[in-house]
Amino acid sequence: MHLDEYAGLTVEELSSIVEEFKRSKNAVVLGHNYQVPEIQVLADYLGDSLKLAQLAVETDAELIVLCGVRFMAESAAILNPDKKVIISSLEAGCPMADMATPQQVEAERRKHPGALVVSYVNTSAEVKAVSDVCCTSSNAVEVVQAVDADEIIFVPDRNLGAYVASKTSKRIILWEGHCYVHSMFGPEDIQLARGEHPGVRIVVHPECPPDVINEADFVTSTGGMMKLAAEHDELIVGTEIGLVERMNREYPDRNFYPLSAFAVCRNMKMTDLPRLAFALEHEQYVVEVPEETRVRAQRALVKMLEMSPGP
Ligand code: 13P
Ligand code: SF4
């Protein structure tokens, strides 16, 4: 079927088509916490970047469908050279991942010969290939603590790098990258939310600016936020709204408020049900990484996974 035909079907029709393709093709759908609710409920597993990478290593499915942004599908492909990894929209990139090139990383390394490069997974395969180790927002502090250097070039998120710097005595050389969704939050959002929901604790993602992080009660990845949701009747949540929708769906008797209802990652929302059905039927778009780059990027990812064993 063509994409236009899928777009004319109901959610129920699309959902049963997706389920049928998953069965017949031995496919697993891995979804990030920021996906739209219809995708979240159809995903076999939902998680943060670390969990998705761990699941990609563990799955025995023949086809991996990554519902998220391109770097996540690339990570799955880097870790699974023998499997087909697909993403439903080639345009679904992470703008922050485009804020570092391998040439820029190599140039920074030449300026700091004693430093090691820790790159956030929100990077291209080419940047991972020139990095010593990767990290996610779940394990960035642990990874930086564990690497064998006192000086770290932290690529590409300046806010996450600054947060890590506040938790370690190592010297962190910051990069000028940022996430357009989390950079929108300001300390005034925190004040407003505290006024609207007195006494409710606030959790924010470490991609938020330092003046937001400093005012929050908790700072953690989207996976860490789901753990907090299990422990609190109410929370104000400073990240993309897809995660807040997941919390309210999974805990209908509790209240989770977005720190801002405008925190929407357009790139994450490029995946929808018609595109997922079309991608499964046609097994596209296949995400491939040139072998030489893949092998070097795999080294940096595997080093991270060894420091953060599976779910
Ligand atoms: P998490 O790994 O915390 O889910 O973050 C991924 C991401 O892209 C945040 O913007
Ligand atoms: Fe990238 Fe920000 Fe979207 Fe996450 S929320 S995928 S960091 S643009």
Side-chain angles (χ1 to χ4, degrees):
M1 266 168 75
H2 287 116
L3 185 55
D4 289 353
E5 295 172 86
Y6 279 120
L9 300 181
T10 64
V11 170
E12 291 70 30
E13 288 166 332
L14 286 163
S15 303
S16 65
I17 289 170
V18 167
E19 291 296 0
E20 184 45 39
F21 279 136
K22 284 201 297 187
R23 252 190 312 276
S24 62
K25 290 175 182 266
N26 186 19
V28 67
V29 175
L30 305 182
H32 186 264
N33 289 324
Y34 296 162
Q35 290 291 289
V36 293
E38 307 85 78
I39 297 284
Q40 291 193 10
V41 297
L42 271 181
D44 297 294
Y45 300 98
L46 265 183
D48 62 8
S49 311
L50 178 62
K51 180 142 180 232
L52 296 180
Q54 290 165 335
L55 289 164
V57 174
E58 285 172 12
T59 182
D60 47 20
E62 286 162 45
L63 181 63
I64 300 175
V65 190
L66 206 305
C67 295
V69 287
R70 209 167 45 239
F71 77 80
M72 297 173 175
E74 262 184 10
S75 295
I78 290 164
L79 292 165
N80 282 289
D82 302 328
K83 289 186 179 146
K84 198 185 242 188
V85 177
I86 61 172
I87 185 164
S88 68
S89 167
L90 281 178
E91 285 79 49
C94 165
M96 176 165 40
D98 297 331
M99 293 177 188
T101 66
Q103 294 79 9
Q104 290 168 329
V105 173
E106 295 285 38
E108 199 62 20
R109 211 193 258 284
R110 281 194 293 277
K111 282 198 243 161
H112 306 279
L116 289 183
V117 176
V118 176
S119 69
Y120 193 24
V121 284
N122 300 43
T123 43
S124 65
E126 288 73 19
V127 165
K128 290 183 177 73
V130 296
S131 302
D132 295 290
V133 59
C134 292
C135 72
T136 74
S137 55
S138 286
N139 59 19
V141 175
E142 286 164 70
V143 168
V144 164
Q145 293 283 27
V147 293
D148 191 17
D150 290 329
E151 205 179 17
I152 308 292
I153 301 168
F154 192 91
V155 182
D157 187 17
R158 186 182 174 86
N159 290 339
L160 178 60
Y163 174 69
V164 171
S166 74
K167 299 278 166 198
T168 160
S169 55
K170 296 197 178 188
R171 192 172 114 71
I172 311 290
I173 297 152
L174 298 174
W175 199 267
E176 278 308 322
H178 69 279
C179 161
Y180 71 92
V181 180
H182 291 90
S183 298
M184 283 183 351
F185 293 117
E188 64 285 359
D189 292 312
I190 302 254
Q191 283 151 20
L192 217 66
R194 289 211 194 275
E196 271 176 41
H197 308 288
V200 178
R201 316 290 289 280
I202 301 185
V203 57
V204 301
H205 197 276
E207 287 175 14
C208 290
D211 52 2
V212 170
I213 288 180
N214 290 343
E215 296 293 320
D217 300 299
F218 308 104
V219 182
T220 186
S221 66
T222 62
M225 290 179 181
M226 281 310 295
K227 288 190 190 131
L228 285 174
E231 296 158 5
H232 291 79
D233 288 337
E234 285 187 294
L235 273 179
I236 296 160
V237 185
T239 194
E240 212 271 351
I241 54 158
L243 190 268
V244 192
E245 287 163 345
R246 178 178 175 194
M247 288 176 171
N248 282 314
R249 190 183 61 251
E250 293 190 12
Y251 299 100
D253 53 339
R254 303 182 187 191
N255 288 309
F256 302 106
Y257 314 103
L259 184 57
S260 163
F262 298 109
V264 178
C265 176
R266 295 186 296 276
N267 309 69
M268 282 281 180
K269 306 309 192 206
M270 285 179 183
T271 303
D272 58 18
L273 271 186
R275 282 194 183 82
L276 174 58
F278 182 82
L280 270 162
E281 179 188 347
H282 299 281
E283 298 189 16
Q284 67 180 45
Y285 301 91
V286 179
V287 178
E288 281 170 315
V289 177
E291 187 58 10
E292 201 193 318
T293 305
R294 191 197 67 76
V295 170
R296 292 166 68 205
Q298 186 180 29
R299 209 177 307 148
L301 273 173
V302 167
K303 219 181 269 179
M304 170 189 84
L305 291 173
E306 284 168 357
M307 294 176 187
S308 309

